[in-house]
Amino acid sequence: MEPGTPSGASSMSGAPDPRVTRDRDPAGRARNSRPRDGLGRPLPHGMTGVPTTPEDLVLPPDEALREAERLLAAGRPFHAHEVLEGAWKACDDDARELWKGLAQLAVGVTHLRRGNKVGAVRLLTRAAERISPYARNAPHGIPVAALTVWARDLVARIEDGPVPEELLAPRLSSGG
């Protein structure tokens, strides 16, 4: 390893350091086995983090919405994003952009809770744009029109100053 190269990093040539073992799943995709805090930030090895959502978790749409809403209400938007991402990756093409937008809503809240206002505004704006076409015929009772308004209102509040805690957990379903 070259001087100044962190453990697990590539060398100056860009080639991976062959002495570094990486956490990989059976298909060879990278995993991060480090514990994470409640907002999904990696913690040092050996620390105790909060339980994470299994990478291969795929819930039926209604259950995914309920679980993501529960996680948002518990102040764990990163984990809500993981649940919504699982639904997005498993859904048919007709609803893929909707689920992707819902996941982006959760990531926007994650950025806001981490103090990254610029990232929060970008993700929430993108999410509102992505989900708004579904407002007329939203599947699974997802209140798309209300979520679009919520995201745009949250962006305006972020730009104006502090955001009240109670505004960071939107309803994702009509039964939530």
Side-chain angles (χ1 to χ4, degrees), residues 8 21 25 37 64 69 73 89 121 123 130 140 148 158:
T21 57
D25 70 9
D37 71 7
E69 191 172 305
K89 291 180 177 181
V121 167
L123 266 293
R130 182 164 269 135
H140 310 289
T148 302
I158 292 167

Side-chain angles (χ1 to χ4, degrees), residues 32-45 47-52 75-79 82 109-116:
N32 189 342
S33 61
R34 287 172 57 186
R36 294 188 175 265
D37 71 7
L39 293 175
R41 293 174 290 220
L43 297 170
H45 288 285
M47 288 192 70
T48 301
V50 299
T52 60
R76 297 180 63 197
F78 177 82
H79 300 89
E82 290 180 325
V109 175
T110 300
H111 281 296
L112 184 57
R113 285 188 174 276
R114 289 178 177 177
N116 178 1

Side-chain angles (χ1 to χ4, degrees), residues 135-160:
R136 293 188 111 178
N137 193 20
H140 310 289
I142 300 170
V144 173
L147 285 168
T148 302
V149 169
W150 169 84
R152 290 179 176 150
D153 286 350
L154 188 55
V155 165
R157 284 181 173 268
I158 292 167
E159 292 171 345
D160 288 342

